């Protein structure tokens, strides 16, 4: 079976992690990728990355200052379907590889520009993920273990998120090209990668927000809510995480712990709506003593048996040996030219008709020339005014955040997303800004899926769908008659996407799944905490990752369907997406290794030249990508004595205390050192209300019927041929029930009957 991107040719002119991860994904799903190496190697350290992210690619070394090699570069651009460029703007202009230059050679090319803050942004901060994190305040989104102040992000969330934004945009543009015959310019920035991890937040005049405060230990403080989202150390010294977000899970946990008679009883039908008393809080604060009485395996056995979400905290790559990870096929052995057989993270998305291809590490290929795409499919003729997914209808049966978030991407790209909810509503509606972040622009119908009277409505929606998506636990879709086999009998060529917690089957498939448990399980919390520290939550959330990857999975299937007319089954579990964002880890002979450095104990950085420094006023982040940058930093700080400087950086720490951060930034930038002053508060409020940002579509404003004027993050994937859609909010419960039923041919009298019977809900 061919991969979905079979025959697609990609020219990679990027450096660093976002471009490497994006092109790895394209290669994993069938694209022929040529990465152009620079003389002397990539400015980013790619030595380890060739074992993980560069697999399946062809590498071509070109001296772009030489006329012959420059001509070869342009020949490759002329024959590519996709060109990714991550060069500085001056280099793009000098080499003649800007979007207009490439389009002149190749009019139907999909051109993706990777940058720090967007193609047209002219700020001085270099487009490096650590510096973008510093400038935008992402470094204060987490709490340090031993000190106040910002934290260097040990987990590369921004780079992974940006790569996923790039892949989603490229796939959407490829689908549009198949239908219209036109090329596209995609503007991808690290800023977009940050935005994609922030959509649970909005701004209102009422300051309404679900976001919980943090305790001094960095864990969530949910006040008097009957919800526990914490980690506990057990008798064997191991940490486990607990999440009681499922209905009744708090009470079940109290019973497992032997505390059901000491906690006040709930007084209403919704457990979480009954606040804890002062005595309850005192008992909850003593839970560490209770968990210390038994081993982690003993607790987890009881927790899982009683339908409570819980997982152990692990070091990165330890889960390579987990039974569910192995069952999902998330570890692959490849041959490395230096190390031999190594274990790496495998492609996370399952496609029934067009699976990922099995590839080894990158190969050098100096013979590539005369490259020409064989074409993508029928092509030409269609007109897509509202976006590259115009005409695509998505039926969403999903709840909570991760799975619906995937469909928010599809809606912003032009799809008509119909959200089917129970008459009680999606549980995420109790958290208005996360619900908004996942559901803006969708149409909503509320009905009883279990009732025989509503079955014709459900089947009518399924017959008309291009995509059907849900995240029910295994077995639920079958009981409701909306599983893949049932839907395919109604609609044989549908794209059916399943986003389970652990997988559709396997040893852990029926466990409860809630964020951030998977992040701790796969080692992200440990990676973010710094050497020798206990695990901690960090910037980068598994719900966001899972939404982004499921969007990519559906887009891969839609590209294939545009080329062939075939639909297929797509699956990407939350566990799979969490493992995927540890793909910088690999194993050699059982030894765990990373393509990235390790965060230091105090969480200031990776080394003396990639870290945060505290200054007389504020903090500065430096991110030296070459020996030249390091030498320039030493000259600025030490003058002519730079050669004799202690390479450990202790002297640098002392010297940076001597001047304000703003002065250091001016001096370092004048010497060509990549750096940024670290924002010590979140940038998001100012960003969301900025008129220029709203005009560009990266933020949006609307009036909410309950919360008043709202500013929220807008479209994340920026395609220049398609302006952002009009500002629109998430739907009220049942807001479009009557409209959708009318489209299906249901009469007003029948709608009224279903409403009176409580089988359909219509918004006031």
């Amino acid at each position: 079976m061919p991969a979905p991107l079979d025959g697609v040719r990609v020219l990679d002119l990027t450096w660093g992690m976002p471009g490497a991860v994006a092109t790895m994904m394209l290669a994993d799903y069938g694209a022929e990728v040529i990465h152009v190496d620079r003389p002397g190697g990539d400015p980013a350290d790619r030595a380890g990355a060739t074992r993980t992210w560069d697999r399946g690619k062809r590498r071509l070394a070109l001296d772009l200052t030489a006329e012959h090699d420059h001509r070869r570069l342009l020949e490759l651009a002329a024959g590519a379907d996709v060109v990714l460029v991550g060069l500085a703007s001056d280099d793009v202009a000098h080499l003649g590889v800007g979007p207009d230059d490439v389009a002149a050679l190749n009019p139907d090319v999909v051109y993706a520009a990777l940058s720090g803050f967007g193609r047209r942004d002219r700020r001085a901060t270099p487009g490096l993920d650590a510096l973008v994190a510093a400038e935008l305040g992402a470094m204060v989104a987490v709490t340090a273990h031993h000190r106040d102040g910002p934290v260097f992000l040990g987990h590369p969330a921004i780079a992974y998120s940006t790569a996923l934004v790039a892949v989603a945009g490229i796939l959407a543009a490829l689908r549009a090209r198949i239908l219209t015959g036109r090329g596209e310019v995609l503007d991808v920035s690290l800023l977009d990668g940050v935005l994609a991890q922030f959509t649970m937040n909005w701004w209102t005049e009422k300051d309404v927000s679900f976001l919980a405060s943090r305790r001094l230990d960095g864990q969530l403080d949910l006040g008097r809510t009957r919800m526990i989202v914490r980690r506990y150390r057990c008798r064997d010294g191991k940490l486990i995480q607990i999440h009681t977000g499922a209905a009744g899970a708090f009470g079940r946990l109290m019973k497992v712990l032997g505390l059901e008679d000491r906690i006040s009883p709930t007084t209403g039908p919704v457990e979480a709506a009954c606040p804890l008393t002062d005595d309850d809080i005192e008992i909850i604060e003593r839970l560490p003593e209770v968990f210390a009485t038994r081993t982690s395996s003993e607790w987890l056995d009881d927790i899982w048996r009683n339908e409570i979400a819980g997982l152990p905290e692990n070091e990165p790559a330890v889960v390579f040996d987990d039974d569910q990870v192995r069952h999902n096929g998330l570890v692959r052995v490849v041959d490395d030219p230096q190390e031999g057989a190594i274990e790496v993270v495998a492609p996370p998305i399952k496609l029934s008709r067009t699976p990922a291809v099995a590839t080894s590490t990158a190969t050098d290929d100096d013979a590539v020339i005369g490259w020409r795409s064989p074409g993508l499919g029928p092509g030409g003729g269609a007109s897509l005014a509202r976006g590259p997914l115009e005409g695509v209808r998505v039926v969403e049966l999903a709840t909570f955040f991760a799975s619906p978030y995937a469909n928010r991407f599809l809606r912003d790209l032009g799809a008509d997303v119909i959200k089917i909810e129970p008459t009680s509503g999606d549980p995420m509606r109790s958290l208005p800004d996360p619900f908004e972040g996942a559901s803006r622009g969708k149409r909503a119908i509320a009905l009883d899926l279990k009732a025989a009277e509503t079955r014709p409505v459900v089947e009518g929606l399924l017959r008309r769908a291009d995509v059907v998506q849900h995240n029910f636990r295994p077995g639920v879709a079958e009981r409701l008659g909306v599983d893949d086999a049932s839907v395919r009998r109604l609609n044989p060529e549908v794209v059916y996407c399943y986003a389970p917690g652990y997988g559709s089957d396997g040893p852990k498939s029926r466990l409860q799944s809630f964020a951030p448990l998977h992040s701790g399980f796969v080692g992200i919390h440990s990676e973010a905490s710094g050497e020798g520290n206990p695990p901690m939550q960090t910037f980068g959330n598994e719900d966001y990752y899972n939404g982004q990857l499921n969007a990519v999975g559906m887009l891969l299937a839609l590209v294939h369907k545009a080329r062939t007319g075939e639909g297929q089954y797509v699956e990407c579990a939350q566990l799979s997406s969490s493992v995927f964002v540890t793909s910088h880890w690999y194993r050699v002979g059982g030894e765990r290794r990373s393509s990235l450095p390790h965060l230091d104990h105090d969480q200031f950085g990776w080394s003396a030249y990639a870290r945060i420094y505290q200054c007389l006023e504020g903090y500065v982040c430096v991110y030296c990508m070459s020996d030249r940058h390091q030498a320039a930093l030493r000259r600025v700080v030490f003058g002519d004595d730079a050669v004799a400087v202690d390479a450990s950086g202790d002297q640098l720490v002392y010297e940076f205390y001597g001047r304000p951060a703003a002065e250091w930034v001016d001096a370092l930038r004048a010497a060509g050192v990549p750096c940024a002053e670290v924002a010590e508060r979140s940038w998001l409020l100012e960003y969301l209300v900025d008129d220029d940002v709203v005009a560009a579509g990266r933020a949006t404003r609307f009036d909410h019927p309950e919360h008043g004027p709202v500013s929220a993050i807008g479209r994340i994937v920026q395609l220049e041929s398609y302006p952002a859609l009009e500002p629109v909010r998430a739907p009220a419960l049942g807001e479009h029930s009557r409209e959708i039923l009318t489209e299906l041919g249901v009469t007003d009298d029948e709608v009224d009957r279903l409403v009176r019977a409580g089988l359909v809900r219509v918004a006031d």
Side-chain angles (χ1 to χ4, degrees), residues 438-459:
S439 297
R440 66 184 292 265
K442 299 176 184 177
R443 296 195 292 160
I445 179 172
L447 53 79
D448 184 350
L449 273 174
K450 300 176 183 178
E453 295 94 326
T454 63
R455 185 64 190 177
V457 173
V458 175
E459 291 188 353

Side-chain angles (χ1 to χ4, degrees), residues 17 129 133 151-161 197 316 519 522-530 536-542 545 577-585 596-599 606:
M17 183 175 165
D129 55 352
V151 172
F152 192 93
L153 302 183
H155 170 63
I158 296 174
Y160 275 118
S161 181
Q197 293 279 322
S519 292
V522 303
I524 291 172
H525 291 167
S526 176
E527 176 177 61
S529 67
M536 61 175 283
Q537 288 181 235
T538 185
F539 182 78
N541 181 286
E542 66 204 61
Y545 291 140
S577 56
S578 299
V579 173
F580 173 75
V581 294
T582 65
S583 66
H584 50 291
W585 286 87
L596 300 175
H598 300 298
L599 186 62
W606 285 337

Side-chain angles (χ1 to χ4, degrees), residues 338-359:
Q338 283 79 42
E339 302 286 355
I342 66 172
E343 293 177 296
V344 299
V345 173
I349 302 167
K350 294 181 179 179
L351 297 159
S352 62
R353 286 186 174 173
T354 57
V357 296
T359 55

Side-chain angles (χ1 to χ4, degrees), residues 404-580:
Y405 185 46
N407 300 321
R408 175 247 168 89
F409 278 88
L410 303 192
R411 183 272 167 190
D412 284 351
L413 291 167
D416 175 21
V417 179
I418 296 176
K419 182 176 182 63
I420 301 179
E421 297 177 80
T423 54
S424 58
D426 185 333
M428 184 59 70
R429 285 187 177 274
S430 63
L431 304 174
D433 36 350
F435 183 78
E436 178 67 41
S439 297
R440 66 184 292 265
K442 299 176 184 177
R443 296 195 292 160
I445 179 172
L447 53 79
D448 184 350
L449 273 174
K450 300 176 183 178
E453 295 94 326
T454 63
R455 185 64 190 177
V457 173
V458 175
E459 291 188 353
L461 289 169
L462 297 176
R463 284 192 181 94
R464 291 164 173 79
D466 298 286
V467 178
V468 173
Q469 188 234 32
H470 74 88
N471 61 348
F472 296 130
R473 291 173 72 190
V476 175
E478 287 77 6
R479 291 197 297 272
L480 295 174
V482 292
D483 56 294
D484 178 52
S486 299
V487 173
R488 208 161 293 284
R489 282 194 290 270
L490 300 168
N491 186 349
E493 298 306 334
V494 71
V495 171
Y496 186 96
C497 180
Y498 184 28
Y502 292 86
S504 54
D505 52 21
K508 289 187 173 69
S509 60
R510 295 186 179 274
L511 296 184
Q512 294 273 2
S513 175
F514 284 95
L517 302 191
H518 290 291
S519 292
F521 184 56
V522 303
I524 291 172
H525 291 167
S526 176
E527 176 177 61
S529 67
E531 293 284 355
N533 294 319
M536 61 175 283
Q537 288 181 235
T538 185
F539 182 78
N541 181 286
E542 66 204 61
D543 277 350
Y544 289 123
Y545 291 140
N546 190 239
Q548 289 177 277
L549 269 163
N550 273 285
V552 167
M554 289 184 283
L555 285 164
L556 282 167
L558 286 170
V559 167
H560 177 74
K561 187 172 183 179
R563 300 176 78 178
T564 67
E566 295 179 339
Q568 62 184 307
Y569 175 85
V570 182
E571 181 179 323
C572 182
Q574 195 164 40
L575 174 62
S576 301
S577 56
S578 299
V579 173
F580 173 75

Side-chain angles (χ1 to χ4, degrees), residues 606-611 613 627 630-631 633-634 638 641-653:
W606 285 337
S607 71
Y609 300 102
R611 62 160 288 164
Y613 286 100
D627 293 340
Q630 295 179 16
L633 184 148
R634 293 194 298 270
F638 301 106
D641 296 329
V643 176
V645 170
D646 178 6
S648 70
D650 290 344
Q651 189 66 21
L652 284 170
V653 171

Side-chain angles (χ1 to χ4, degrees), residues 59-105:
R59 301 177 60 182
L60 182 63
L62 294 179
D63 180 357
L64 300 182
T65 64
E67 182 179 350
H68 173 71
D69 281 0
H70 183 249
R71 187 166 59 250
R72 293 183 71 191
L73 173 70
L74 298 182
E75 289 173 352
L76 291 171
D81 297 296
V82 179
V83 175
L84 285 85
V85 178
L87 306 172
S89 56
D90 289 345
D91 290 333
V92 169
H94 175 70
L95 295 172
V97 289
D100 293 338
D101 303 315
V102 175
L105 300 169

Side-chain angles (χ1 to χ4, degrees), residues 15-39:
W15 58 272
M17 183 175 165
V21 173
T23 50
M24 174 192 71
M25 292 197 73
L26 298 175
D28 279 345
Y29 291 96
E32 183 181 357
V33 177
I34 293 182
H35 174 75
V36 174
D37 286 330
R38 304 179 185 188

